[in-house]
Amino acid sequence: MFRFTAGDRAPLYSAILQAFGDANERLVTALGLDDVRERLRGVGWFDALTDDDLTQALKQLREWQLLDVIQNHAENYRTAQEYERRNLQYSLTRRGEAAFAGVQHALTVLASTGALQTAVLDAIADRLAELDRLLADTGSGDRRIFSTLQELEGHLDALRGNTKQFNGELQRLLRTDGAELSTFHEVKGATVAYLQEFLTNLDQRSHAVAAAVARIEDRGPETLWQRALRGAELPPSGGADPASEWLARRRARWEGLRAWFLPGDGSPARVEQLHHVARRAIVTLLQVLDRITESRRRSTGAVQDFRELARWFAAAPTDDDLHRLWSTAFGLGPSRHAHLAHADPELTAATESWRDAPPVEVSALLRTSGRTERFTRTGRVRDVAELKAVRAERARAERAELEAAWSLLRAQAPVRLSHFGALDHEVFERLMDLLGRALAVRPDSTGVRRAVTGDGRVEVVLRPPAAGAAPAMLRTPRGTLTGPDFVVEVHTAGTVPAGAALEEATG
């Protein structure tokens, strides 16, 4: 189908198909030899072309099944030459139309750039909302439903195509290391701003579209497609019924819409994947921009410095110059010690040269870390004996409360929660701690839960409430707790519970 795009005569073949394509846009489906020559000049073909070359090119396109030829019997011919030139009429076949459309699409993709357009998401939501209103109104026209559905599918195709193309360009940008850092920096900085602008309110727009899709799903998309089919007014066909194929395309388009915003299989929506891709791209671009900024900040590296120093050594005329250059390059140090003064500043005048002044002792710490020693008064050590005593007293009090609570619970075990009634807040807290430990354990086959405190001294057994039992209500000075009426049994770990001993004694 696309053999006309290769070879020495590919420009002529492409120009001929473009001439036929332009004629189709003007509703002219058949062209004679003179019409083809005239329209070739209209598409920009001005090279010399004889009738034999043009006829041979048309013949080749006929052999490739891109053109069809018929005889024009309705025309009146005055001479034999006029009959030869105007008798044959050429027109594009379906393969020719497809080949020309494929080339045009390829050129369009090469010349265009993808985009992430929030306006397309808003347009999809608006069209879905309009379809929902039209379906709710029984008096609405089928033609209006058809046109709205066509607009919705067009917006979806634009979203899908632009997103794929932009994602491809974005990934190529992430892999590209531009030679011109300034242009590269500007492009990536503008891309980050573009992505951030697109991600703003993206979740709200996606949820709006998903909600609109769900509303139409509730009304039934089959009703929508049947009414749109009546509004499409498809032409009659001699072969199979075109309605079934038309409905199949609508169902496929609708499944594509659902895959983007409301998948039926529980998989993540593609718009969420787009959200993740954009966020990852922003992070990657920001990292690249940081590296570019860091490279700009340090224009030269150690390698360049040593190479330049090597050139200076090679250009030094004498050995004395070499030694002076060596001491200058490798004997220099940072002048962070310039603020230091002599022990007795009055012995050295301020106007005396540093070369003649006596040396000043410089700390090794200043040379290695850039700081000097600071000799100050030793910090006061805080007496923590009182704090330790307070904490020990608090721990003993909490332990006493805990022992009292466990003793109370062990004395009354087994017992239902409703039996406690009113409790002190400290006992209530210990009881809740034990219940929480027991409820965190998986029950056994009989529904009993067993748990042990952190020190391993106390074991709590929690049995499920009886069927139809009223909820338990525990009152404390700080409030009231209502919950299932569990049977609680607290005992020392390793001993036989009272409930189990009673069951064993009674058989």
Side-chain angles (χ1 to χ4, degrees), residues 28 40 43 45 60 77 83 92 107 111 153 163-164 183-184 247 284 307 321 332 341 365 370 389 412 471 498 501:
V28 178
L40 281 176
V43 299
W45 180 271
Q60 183 63 64
Y77 307 104
Y83 173 78
L92 285 174
L107 295 176
E153 293 179 353
T163 301
K164 290 190 297 184
T183 305
F184 198 56
L247 289 175
T284 305
R307 285 178 178 173
D321 296 328
L332 289 178
L365 183 63
Q412 299 185 7

Side-chain angles (χ1 to χ4, degrees), residues 132-261:
D132 187 32
R133 290 193 299 269
L134 292 174
L135 289 176
D137 185 8
T138 57
S140 59
D142 296 338
R143 294 181 179 180
R144 181 57 182 168
I145 292 179
F146 167 73
S147 61
T148 307
L149 182 60
Q150 291 292 103
E151 294 175 5
L152 172 63
E153 293 179 353
H155 292 314
L156 180 61
D157 292 340
L159 172 66
R160 186 163 45 208
N162 286 333
T163 301
K164 290 190 297 184
Q165 192 169 358
F166 182 83
N167 184 46
E169 295 173 0
L170 180 61
Q171 302 307 320
R172 286 190 291 270
L173 178 63
L174 294 178
R175 297 189 298 266
T176 301
D177 294 330
E180 184 64 30
L181 290 182
S182 59
T183 305
F184 198 56
H185 186 276
E186 294 176 0
V187 170
K188 294 201 171 184
T191 304
V192 170
Y194 183 80
L195 290 173
Q196 291 175 341
E197 180 67 22
F198 173 74
L199 291 178
T200 304
N201 298 327
L202 177 61
D203 292 336
Q204 290 83 346
R205 290 186 171 93
S206 302
H207 292 162
V209 175
V213 172
R215 288 195 299 269
I216 294 183
E217 286 285 339
D218 294 338
R219 295 187 180 277
E222 289 292 340
T223 304
L224 170 65
W225 300 328
Q226 291 296 336
R227 295 188 60 181
L229 176 60
R230 292 194 296 268
E233 299 177 353
L234 298 179
S237 176
D241 185 12
S244 59
E245 183 179 355
W246 191 90
L247 289 175
R249 287 198 300 268
R250 300 290 79 75
R251 294 187 184 96
R253 293 290 185 88
W254 186 259
E255 289 300 323
L257 178 63
R258 292 199 60 183
W260 267 91
F261 299 99

Side-chain angles (χ1 to χ4, degrees), residues 384-444:
V384 296
E386 182 179 356
L387 179 61
K388 290 172 63 177
V390 172
R391 290 179 176 175
E393 182 63 27
R394 186 186 305 165
R396 284 192 295 269
E398 292 179 353
R399 186 65 187 180
E401 293 176 0
L402 184 60
E403 292 288 349
W406 286 349
S407 299
L408 176 63
L409 296 175
R410 284 197 297 266
Q412 299 185 7
V415 64
R416 296 189 178 277
L417 286 179
S418 57
H419 178 74
F420 291 107
L423 294 173
D424 293 336
H425 188 73
E426 292 75 12
V427 179
F428 174 76
E429 285 184 344
R430 307 308 171 193
L431 177 61
M432 290 298 102
D433 178 62
L434 293 175
L435 291 179
R437 292 177 181 273
L439 290 174
V441 178
R442 185 183 299 274
D444 59 12

Side-chain angles (χ1 to χ4, degrees), residues 166-495:
F166 182 83
N167 184 46
E169 295 173 0
L170 180 61
Q171 302 307 320
R172 286 190 291 270
L173 178 63
L174 294 178
R175 297 189 298 266
T176 301
D177 294 330
E180 184 64 30
L181 290 182
S182 59
T183 305
F184 198 56
H185 186 276
E186 294 176 0
V187 170
K188 294 201 171 184
T191 304
V192 170
Y194 183 80
L195 290 173
Q196 291 175 341
E197 180 67 22
F198 173 74
L199 291 178
T200 304
N201 298 327
L202 177 61
D203 292 336
Q204 290 83 346
R205 290 186 171 93
S206 302
H207 292 162
V209 175
V213 172
R215 288 195 299 269
I216 294 183
E217 286 285 339
D218 294 338
R219 295 187 180 277
E222 289 292 340
T223 304
L224 170 65
W225 300 328
Q226 291 296 336
R227 295 188 60 181
L229 176 60
R230 292 194 296 268
E233 299 177 353
L234 298 179
S237 176
D241 185 12
S244 59
E245 183 179 355
W246 191 90
L247 289 175
R249 287 198 300 268
R250 300 290 79 75
R251 294 187 184 96
R253 293 290 185 88
W254 186 259
E255 289 300 323
L257 178 63
R258 292 199 60 183
W260 267 91
F261 299 99
L262 191 65
D265 55 357
S267 60
R270 293 179 185 175
V271 69
E272 296 181 4
Q273 300 175 5
L274 175 61
H275 192 276
H276 298 329
V277 168
R279 287 197 175 277
R280 286 198 304 267
I282 289 177
V283 174
T284 305
L285 288 173
L286 289 178
Q287 292 174 350
V288 173
L289 292 177
D290 289 340
R291 289 197 297 268
I292 293 176
T293 305
E294 186 64 25
S295 64
R296 284 181 171 184
R297 189 174 299 161
R298 181 171 179 172
S299 57
T300 59
V303 176
Q304 288 80 3
D305 294 341
F306 279 111
R307 285 178 178 173
E308 185 65 24
L309 185 59
R311 296 188 187 97
W312 292 356
F313 272 101
T318 63
D319 291 344
D320 294 338
D321 296 328
L322 290 174
H323 288 294
R324 190 180 304 111
L325 180 59
W326 172 269
S327 61
T328 302
F330 298 101
L332 289 178
S335 59
R336 289 175 293 187
H337 63 282
H339 66 284
L340 299 178
H342 293 277
D344 191 355
E346 296 180 357
L347 298 178
T348 305
T351 58
E352 189 172 356
S353 173
W354 285 11
R355 180 182 302 175
D356 301 331
V360 177
E361 185 178 356
V362 180
S363 171
L365 183 63
L366 176 65
R367 184 68 180 87
T368 57
S369 63
R371 300 192 305 272
T372 59
E373 297 92 343
R374 294 181 180 271
F375 299 98
T376 59
R377 187 175 59 184
T378 304
R380 182 179 178 182
V381 179
R382 187 177 59 168
D383 186 7
V384 296
E386 182 179 356
L387 179 61
K388 290 172 63 177
V390 172
R391 290 179 176 175
E393 182 63 27
R394 186 186 305 165
R396 284 192 295 269
E398 292 179 353
R399 186 65 187 180
E401 293 176 0
L402 184 60
E403 292 288 349
W406 286 349
S407 299
L408 176 63
L409 296 175
R410 284 197 297 266
Q412 299 185 7
V415 64
R416 296 189 178 277
L417 286 179
S418 57
H419 178 74
F420 291 107
L423 294 173
D424 293 336
H425 188 73
E426 292 75 12
V427 179
F428 174 76
E429 285 184 344
R430 307 308 171 193
L431 177 61
M432 290 298 102
D433 178 62
L434 293 175
L435 291 179
R437 292 177 181 273
L439 290 174
V441 178
R442 185 183 299 274
D444 59 12
S445 59
T446 60
V448 178
R449 304 172 186 261
R450 300 176 185 272
V452 183
T453 56
D455 56 5
R457 297 177 56 187
V458 178
E459 182 181 13
V460 57
V461 180
L462 194 64
R463 304 179 186 278
M473 183 176 296
L474 302 179
R475 297 180 178 85
T476 68
R478 299 187 184 181
T480 303
L481 173 67
T482 303
D485 194 9
F486 289 105
V487 178
V488 183
E489 189 173 348
V490 180
H491 59 88
T492 303
T495 61

